Amino acid sequence: MALQLAVCVSGGGSNLQSLIDAVEDGRLDADIRLVFSNRPGAGGLDRAKRHGIPSLALSHKEFSRQAFDRAMADAIAEAGADTVALAGFMRLLTPAFLKRFPDRVVNIHPALLPAFPGADGQGDAAAYGVTLAGCTVHFVDEKVDHGPIIIQAAVPAYPGEGRDALQPRILELEHRVFPQALQWLSQGRLELRGRHVALRGAGTRPTLDAQGGFMVHPPLEPGF
Ligand code: GRF
């Protein structure tokens, strides 16, 4: 059954765009019921409008943390969504919010968790001098960038490279793995077993691309 999805953004929304594109070209079986932002000027809101998707911005500065999460959860539920995709949403959610959508909140993070959680995964990885960087899609729990991992993709990082060089290489893969992870959720193929996420019917070999220099596991399916 199609996911009834709310996508939450704080910034430009390129990940939101990758979800919209995947829905529009039939790779992702989802109905985006709402694009929500905590920043009234977020570029993601314009993307929603361009695609005729309902959108709502509430500034978190005008609420207590609990009241903000309550208003956000109410708006998502009223829009008819039961699944929440955090696509560059720069806020930690309260336990009360997560209880409203149990095991239905998914985040994309631009680092290979558990390394480099927090607001600047790419910058922290570049500064640390890693030789492999990447991104992670995971279920959200009460801790920052911590919940069970659905998929990860790794890209090379080169000596002397700063955040700005690394970020686009990671982002390109974010745009592939996030729609893929949500499509698996839509297909009911993700099974939570404690910290582990089992993917039913998964291929056995990671997607490797020597040319573009990346590795993804579980493997991407055709179209992603
Ligand atoms: C992405 O790198 C995402 O992983 C991180 O914030 C960035 C948002 O980019 N959490 P965009 O707004 O989707 O373009």
Side-chain angles (χ1 to χ4, degrees):
M1 211 183 75
L3 283 185
Q4 301 302 309
L5 194 61
V7 184
C8 302
V9 300
S10 298
S14 71
N15 277 289
L16 163 66
Q17 190 67 53
S18 77
L19 300 181
I20 294 172
D21 293 346
V23 170
E24 288 185 350
D25 67 25
R27 286 174 297 141
L28 173 56
D29 186 19
D31 186 2
I32 303 180
R33 310 291 300 225
L34 180 69
V35 170
F36 177 88
S37 183
N38 63 316
R39 295 213 176 109
L45 295 166
D46 299 325
R47 293 183 194 266
K49 285 182 192 114
R50 281 204 291 278
H51 289 267
I53 300 169
S55 61
L56 174 69
L58 297 177
S59 171
H60 60 273
K61 294 177 187 154
E62 289 164 25
F63 295 80
S64 70
R65 181 167 285 280
Q66 302 293 337
F68 181 80
D69 275 21
R70 205 175 316 120
M72 179 175 161
D74 287 347
I76 289 170
E78 276 159 28
D82 58 13
T83 304
V84 182
L86 306 181
F89 188 66
M90 307 305 275
R91 283 183 64 80
L92 182 61
L93 296 169
T94 55
F97 180 94
L98 295 173
K99 278 201 193 87
R100 298 273 297 269
F101 306 97
D103 300 335
R104 302 297 290 185
V105 185
V106 174
N107 181 46
I108 177 114
H109 180 71
L112 291 172
L113 293 172
F116 311 116
D120 189 15
Q122 311 97 324
D124 293 342
Y128 195 89
V130 299
T131 62
L132 281 173
C135 56
T136 304
V137 180
H138 64 94
F139 286 106
V140 173
D141 68 9
E142 291 160 20
K143 297 184 193 160
V144 178
D145 299 328
H146 174 268
I149 291 172
I150 300 169
I151 185 171
Q152 293 186 299
V155 296
Y158 300 106
E161 200 169 57
R163 181 190 193 282
D164 291 351
L166 192 52
Q167 188 262 355
R169 199 175 305 128
I170 296 173
L171 194 62
E172 202 182 316
L173 278 171
E174 292 184 44
H175 296 163
R176 296 178 66 175
V177 300
F178 205 18
Q180 169 72 91
L182 289 167
Q183 176 60 4
W184 286 332
L185 189 62
S186 174
Q187 293 169 325
R189 289 171 59 192
L190 300 177
E191 190 186 319
L192 265 165
R193 299 180 187 158
R195 272 218 56 86
H196 294 257
V197 179
L199 170 62
R200 291 197 196 91
T204 50
R205 286 167 193 266
T207 304
L208 294 170
D209 181 315
Q211 219 92 44
F214 64 78
M215 171 175 174
V216 182
H217 194 251
L220 297 167
E221 295 182 339
F224 289 94

